[in-house]
Each structure stands twice: as C-alpha cells, then as structure tokens.
Amino acid sequence: GQSLEQPSEVTAVEGAIVQINCTYQTSGFYGLSWYQQHDGGAPTFLSYNALDGLEETGRFSSFLSRSDSYGYLLLQELQMKDSASYFCAVKGNDMRFGAGTRLTVKP
Amino acid sequence: EAQVTQNPRYLITVTGKKLTVTCSQNMNHEYMSWYRQDPGLGLRQIYYSMNVEVTDKGDVPEGYKVSRKEKRNFPLILESPSPNQTSLYFCASRATTLGELFFGEGSRLTVL
C-alpha cells in the first residue's frame, strides 16, 4: 500500500529555520509535493520535486531523495505568518497526502 | 483567473437525503480529485479522475459516487449521507504532467 509519514507538530521561533521531514512508501512515484494550509483555508502549492536534490523558492526549499524515499521542506527566516499546516504529497497516477505537520511560530 | 470552484461551500443536511457537491475547473486539467479532511487525518482521497469517463477509487470511496462526463466538471454525489460523512471536502485539479494541485475553497458538510 501507500503511506506517508511526517511529524504531527513542530514549534519554532521567529527568524529560525525549521525542517519538516516526509518519508513515503508507494507503488508508483513521479514526485513529491508540498502544500501549506492555514486554518480555515484551502491547501496551496509550495513546491514539487521530481528529481533528487534541492529546489529553492524564496525562503522555502524542498529536497528529495528517491533512493531513500525521503524528502523535506525547509523554511528559513520564519515569520509569524508561516504558522500553518504543511502537507507532503506523493504524485503517482493519483495524489496522496500525509496527515500534515502543524507548524507554530512563536515570537 | 485560473480556479477550481465548488458548491455549496456550506451545507447542513439530514441522514439519507441525497446531495451533490459540484466542482468545476477552468484550466483544462485532465486530472481531478476529491478529498475529505478530518482533524488529525490530513487529506484523504475519495475518488480521482485521470480524464473524461475515467474514474478510480481513492482511500475512502465508501458512500460516495463521482462522474466525469465533461473535462471541466467532477461532481461528488452522496446517495444516502450518514453522520460519519460530516467533513470538509476539497476538490482539486492538475495537469497530468505537473505536480501542482489546484484546490477549490472547500465545502463544509454536516449530516445530522
């Protein structure tokens, strides 16, 4: 079957760096995506890795290692507005999500 | 503006009363899917569709039906809703070759 594992909660202070890990087991894999969801809102796309390595988009970076079935989202220079839930998602023929990591940024 | 539109946004209904949640996208995406979100469980896939007339079950399809007669529309049908289907539902779409999923604003359904 398919499964994705990510920590349920992470807490960090403003200005810090935080890494959210995601490990997956899947029968078909094309890439790993990351989404952000604020309370009461819809998930929004952050990044997508189809190949091994690091993808950087502003303060956010995402990494993938296909051989380890592992990826992470790195958030730098944390701001209060980054407090949200973050989901990793595996793209196969469909798109399956992890249970999400709730990030709390404290002043 | 590229968007996924789902309706209704909020609905309170009673057990057994059939309902349909509509979903429409204007990006000509081949892939569309439905998710339900419950506290602590993340986004669980109900059904997905790779293209017109092609649908497949996700992780939690019981009690739901879908159809994909047109590329832009992917309605979710609850033939006989039950209280355990009370949830927040999201419709999403993407181009087949890309990794970005576009979400609708969500439909909060309460079944009494």
Side-chain angles (χ1 to χ4, degrees), chain A residues 56-68:
Chain A
E56 298 180 67
T57 309
R59 294 186 297 115
F60 293 2
S61 303
S62 58
F63 172 83
L64 175 65
S65 169
R66 295 173 70 114
S67 60
D68 295 323

Side-chain angles (χ1 to χ4, degrees), chain B residues 3-90:
Chain B
Q3 59 185 7
V4 178
T5 304
Q6 49 183 114
N7 284 293
R9 295 287 316 282
Y10 302 91
L11 180 64
I12 300 174
T13 189
V14 295
T15 298
K17 186 175 181 181
K18 180 180 178 180
L19 69 92
T20 299
V21 187
T22 64
C23 176
S24 180
Q25 50 94 5
N26 63 0
M27 294 167 278
N28 202 37
H29 286 163
E30 298 86 8
Y31 178 93
M32 297 185 75
S33 60
W34 277 102
Y35 298 88
R36 61 176 289 174
Q37 186 171 34
D38 303 290
L41 297 178
L43 292 151
R44 294 183 293 168
Q45 188 165 245
I46 304 170
Y47 271 95
Y48 66 98
S49 170
M50 298 291 288
N51 215 322
V52 175
E53 302 291 0
V54 180
T55 62
D56 278 295
K57 295 178 180 179
D59 291 324
V60 288
E62 295 76 21
Y64 304 94
K65 286 175 60 176
V66 293
S67 68
R68 187 91 183 272
K69 294 183 170 55
E70 304 164 291
K71 198 172 187 179
R72 63 183 292 125
N73 296 322
F74 191 43
L76 180 70
I77 303 157
L78 287 74
E79 293 272 3
S80 183
S82 62
N84 65 12
Q85 293 178 297
T86 292
S87 187
L88 178 60
Y89 292 87
F90 286 102

